[in-house]
Amino acid sequence: MKSLCCWAAAAVVLVSTGCGGPPPKMQNEATRDVHSYAQPHRARTTHLELDLEVLFDRKVLRGWVTHQITRPDASAPLVLDTRDLTVSKAETAESREGPFTATKFQLGAKDPVLGAPLTVEVPSGATHVRVHYETSPQASGLQWLEPSQTAGKAKPYLYSQSQAIHARSWIPVQDSPGVRATYRARIRTPKDLLAVMSARSDFRLANPKEPLSGDYTFRLPQAIPAYLIALAVGDLEFRYLSTRNGVWAEPSVVEGAAREFEDTERMIQAAEKLYGPYTWGRYDILVLPPSFPYGGMENPLLTFATPTVIAGDRSLVSLIAHELAHSWSGNLVTNATWRDFWLNEGFTTYCERRIIEAIYGPERAAMEAVLGLQSLEKEMKDMPPADQILHIDLNGRDPDDGATLVPYEKGALFITHLEKAFGREKLDNFLYAYFHQFAFQSITTRAFRRFLEQTLLASDPAAAAKVPVEEWITKPGIPSSAPRPVSDAFVVVEQVATAWAKADAPQTKAKTKDWNTHQWLRFLNGLPEDITAGKMAALDRTFGFTKSGNSEILFEWLRMGIQAGYQPTAPKLEEFLVKVGRRKFVRPLFEALVKTPEGKQRAQAIFAKAKPGYHPITAATVEQILK
Ligand code: BES
Ligand code: ZN
């Protein structure tokens, strides 16, 4: 039994901006969301109803959204976030059923990062606000794919990516993670396509042969922030993996995906054992086309995932553990603003490794922690100190700029430091109590710190003295007292890498016979930065990296190939960049290209080919690099 009662009681006094309790009276600098025009302390959405038509021929969504609101300030207008939306009409009503009557609205000036505020006048007594609108074909949160860009090549595809502030490009909404609402939706699509959302679907999973209607309804009874609202429409098929878990994908992809993700139910059970029951109902995974700009996105009930995790050997499924862990850290307990993003990603990265440890053993978790820290240290080398801070100041910047490895790996290392100082049992009790205490709330770094101080830190002052909490949260770099993850499985790898660094060492091949993906990744990043094309050729002859079917290994190899000017990777590089839109891969490859003498021209030529297939977020990233 977890002893959470005393800690939970201690935490009752803490302030947070949840949906359950009364909204905060005032907004101060620590809780204000600088990335939203909404004024939730005056008028706040508690429930949304969407009714949208998916128009593939024009690449727009058209319809309306109804906001059910509460108003601490009875005369306040409802201020919503928008980006590139065409608003045709606003209406209000005193109940869900109406009648809805027209009201005045005003779309403000467009800010390049934030979009434009939509201010709707709300007469006293009105509790429902309906906005009729249409999206732009360039909506930053949507990608419209031609049939040729899908696996099946026969039908079009649409998907959304709302985090961080892209929900506003397809729904006029209070697009702040501190505002939580339940939602319902009705989505109409061409008749031969299926729609899925981050919500309970009224579509009968049990009967995949049921003819499609092109008219789908959804509801999510749990209150979530707007960045977790998600939609995908395409030629989708479903496979059960357990009674509550399954996978959606295009028909030609679904079998491979089902095999790759077979361990998911065990992951859910491992997470539940650590953090409390999975309270969302189903946990499904949607495998997207390869242009999906992220590895994964933790949309509630329906993780969105890149197909590049399907390696054939489950070696990259920590991504699923990660998105699943967000069901607690992120979706249950949410960062109140984007400067608190490390609360989402740091806890999740820590929890991800605990799930991996439970299913695949401590060695694999240790390897992933070592690789994670190595990537962080590499990335931090060229990073301004201000960006190395967990509680980062993002005022005036795009919150997507804050999505570096710092909130992920430095955040996870901070939790690991707490674990080492207080012991695993106490840390586990703390996390369990944390998720329980703040469930369905959006919390700030300050609220987290108060909870930490009043519970874990207060319970053992000697242990607390070992963890420089202030430094971890507010200072750049990594504290010198931070733990260093190590992995025995990397010892031999480092030896072989060193041998190759000194001379060609094809005789080491026998030692690599049983290496797993993580060992290969460690091997590649253990080779010298200034490796020559000749050395790469020798490695390729011995190990065949250019033919690797593992996206992570291939990515590292291609990056090295650019730096070394190793020509045999050139066709693979172009093929990879034209097919895959995952920013984690695309960004470093273009960055490496523009650093080499003839690279910039080549980068421009590849981008010209790749751009039509890229998501707007990926395309914008590359344009930035090529500027
Ligand atoms: N929530 C993030 C994705 C995200 C972050 C989207 C910020 C938009 C803005 C997701 O959980 C994530 O972290 N994905 C990682 C994979 C993970 C295994 C580290 C990714 O996409 O690379
Ligand atoms: Zn994440």
Side-chain angles (χ1 to χ4, degrees):
M1 195 46 213
K2 310 267 176 184
S3 57
L4 61 95
C5 27
C6 49
W7 286 357
V12 167
V13 294
L14 300 178
V15 195
S16 68
T17 58
C19 64
K25 286 197 191 68
M26 244 178 34
Q27 290 193 307
N28 59 36
E29 273 313 301
T31 56
R32 202 171 80 87
D33 182 357
V34 298
H35 295 110
S36 171
Y37 287 109
Q39 302 173 354
H41 56 294
R42 301 183 67 203
R44 168 184 290 254
T45 302
T46 58
H47 174 72
L48 289 166
E49 307 227 341
L50 277 165
D51 192 317
L52 295 171
E53 262 180 281
V54 183
L55 306 175
F56 276 101
D57 50 342
R58 292 179 50 223
K59 297 188 165 53
V60 305
L61 299 176
R62 180 179 64 199
W64 47 257
V65 59
T66 306
H67 292 251
Q68 187 178 330
I69 61 169
T70 58
R71 273 195 296 175
D73 172 351
S75 65
L78 181 66
V79 184
L80 303 174
D81 294 294
T82 73
R83 183 186 290 130
D84 303 331
L85 298 180
T86 307
V87 176
S88 55
K89 186 163 68 170
E91 300 169 305
T92 62
E94 296 188 358
S95 77
R96 180 174 185 249
E97 285 71 38
F100 281 85
T101 51
T103 186
K104 278 196 199 147
F105 66 91
Q106 201 196 358
L107 206 52
K110 182 183 173 183
D111 176 272
V113 175
L114 303 181
L118 173 69
T119 306
V120 184
E121 268 183 33
V122 186
S124 66
T127 52
H128 289 71
V129 177
R130 181 171 292 173
V131 180
H132 297 257
Y133 69 99
E134 195 172 286
T135 61
S136 150
Q138 280 80 42
S140 63
L142 300 175
Q143 189 179 17
W144 298 87
L145 295 172
E146 300 290 343
S148 63
Q149 296 168 294
T150 66
K153 313 278 177 219
K155 294 175 186 177
Y157 201 108
L158 163 72
Y159 69 87
S160 70
Q161 166 56 43
S162 297
Q163 197 180 11
I165 55 169
H166 303 286
R168 63 190 66 179
S169 76
W170 64 285
I171 310 170
V173 70
Q174 293 188 314
D175 195 5
S176 166
V179 178
R180 313 178 74 99
T182 52
Y183 81 88
R184 282 171 178 265
R186 176 179 185 194
I187 306 290
R188 270 164 291 177
T189 72
K191 247 200 144 126
D192 55 342
L193 298 180
L194 183 69
V196 290
M197 289 192 86
S198 55
R200 295 183 190 177
S201 163
D202 295 325
F203 186 76
R204 298 218 319 273
L205 291 173
N207 184 2
K209 294 282 173 270
E210 183 178 17
L212 301 179
S213 65
D215 189 346
Y216 308 101
T217 54
F218 304 89
R219 69 208 132 86
L220 187 69
Q222 292 98 337
I224 54 150
Y227 80 85
L228 293 175
I229 305 177
L231 167 69
V233 179
D235 181 14
L236 299 176
E237 220 172 280
F238 183 76
R239 287 278 181 287
Y240 273 104
L241 295 172
S242 76
T243 50
R244 61 174 164 176
N245 166 235
V247 49
W248 289 102
E250 285 191 73
S252 67
V253 177
V254 78
E255 289 304 339
R259 246 177 289 123
E260 200 76 12
F261 302 144
E262 217 161 79
D263 296 330
T264 308
E265 174 59 38
R266 290 171 63 208
M267 290 185 183
I268 305 172
Q269 288 174 17
E272 287 187 305
K273 224 167 127 188
L274 288 165
Y275 308 122
Y278 180 81
T279 54
W280 300 88
R282 298 197 56 80
Y283 178 75
D284 294 324
I285 300 163
L286 171 69
V287 179
L288 285 121
S291 64
F292 185 59
Y294 293 100
M297 178 64 214
E298 66 271 26
N299 298 314
L301 287 76
L302 184 64
T303 282
F304 281 23
T306 170
T308 61
V309 294
I310 303 176
D313 59 2
R314 299 180 197 165
S315 60
L316 304 179
V317 293
S318 60
L319 183 132
I320 301 300
H322 180 98
E323 305 313 333
L324 171 66
H326 273 307
S327 306
W328 289 265
S329 43
N331 300 2
L332 205 54
V333 182
T334 308
N335 50 208
T337 76
W338 295 115
R339 71 176 305 193
D340 308 306
F341 182 58
W342 76 276
L343 290 178
N344 275 18
E345 298 300 344
F347 279 76
T348 295
T349 303
Y350 174 85
C351 296
E352 161 199 336
R353 302 219 168 109
R354 292 293 301 276
I355 296 169
I356 292 298
E357 182 185 313
I359 309 289
Y360 303 104
E363 194 52 65
R364 175 144 166 196
M367 286 190 288
E368 294 186 354
V370 171
L371 291 171
L373 182 57
Q374 281 176 340
S375 309
L376 172 68
E377 286 176 328
K378 196 163 164 191
E379 191 179 282
M380 279 204 317
K381 271 194 206 144
D382 321 295
M383 199 186 261
D387 287 359
Q388 303 177 13
I389 293 171
L390 286 180
H391 194 220
I392 187 177
D393 181 3
L394 289 168
N395 206 347
R397 298 173 69 181
D398 187 325
D400 287 347
D401 290 356
T404 68
L405 287 175
V406 171
Y408 289 81
E409 294 295 342
K410 184 176 170 181
L413 200 60
F414 172 33
I415 313 296
T416 306
H417 200 184
L418 292 170
E419 184 201 309
K420 298 283 178 244
F422 290 87
R424 187 169 263 201
E425 194 184 339
K426 276 195 130 174
L427 196 271
D428 284 353
N429 286 342
F430 168 74
L431 288 178
Y432 193 97
Y434 171 72
F435 293 132
H436 181 83
Q437 172 66 27
F438 295 111
F440 294 108
Q441 296 184 33
S442 300
I443 71 161
T444 60
T445 297
R446 188 201 289 185
F448 160 73
R449 267 189 86 161
R450 300 244 311 256
F451 184 71
L452 178 71
E453 276 155 18
Q454 293 175 359
T455 57
L456 192 63
L457 300 188
S459 74
D460 185 346
K466 292 186 203 153
V467 187
V469 174
E470 168 80 10
E471 184 185 352
W472 270 113
I473 295 177
T474 68
K475 299 283 185 308
I478 295 170
S480 56
S481 56
R484 291 234 38 120
V486 287
S487 158
D488 293 342
F490 284 165
V491 174
V492 57
V493 178
E494 283 151 21
Q495 284 163 1
V496 174
T498 309
W500 275 92
K502 286 202 194 117
D504 288 358
Q507 77 283 1
T508 54
K509 192 167 179 189
K511 291 195 181 166
T512 69
K513 196 162 46 66
D514 299 319
W515 281 8
N516 55 41
T517 297
H518 304 86
Q519 289 174 302
W520 283 116
L521 291 170
R522 178 69 190 91
F523 176 72
L524 292 176
N525 75 23
L527 295 169
E529 290 259 348
D530 57 355
I531 190 165
T532 61
K535 177 77 72 180
M536 284 190 72
L539 285 163
D540 222 0
R541 277 196 302 277
T542 313
F543 302 116
F545 290 119
T546 304
K547 290 192 290 276
S548 175
N550 184 294
S551 60
E552 296 279 352
I553 293 174
L554 185 63
F555 159 69
E556 281 301 340
W557 184 247
L558 293 175
R559 176 153 70 168
M560 288 167 59
I562 298 168
Q563 277 160 0
Y566 175 56
Q567 285 310 318
T569 51
K572 253 281 155 47
L573 174 70
E574 177 164 330
E575 184 193 317
F576 189 78
L577 283 174
V578 170
K579 185 170 174 212
V580 175
R582 184 176 175 187
R583 277 207 320 177
K584 176 186 169 185
F585 297 151
V586 170
R587 179 198 279 176
L589 290 174
F590 275 102
E591 277 172 353
L593 271 175
V594 299
K595 275 191 203 146
T596 68
E598 281 120 43
K600 188 146 187 184
Q601 257 185 344
R602 223 176 122 222
Q604 260 146 357
I606 295 177
F607 183 52
K609 272 199 198 169
K611 191 183 171 186
Y614 281 172
H615 185 285
I617 296 176
T618 305
T621 305
V622 178
E623 259 149 22
Q624 198 65 36
I625 296 167
L626 296 183
K627 238 198 238 154

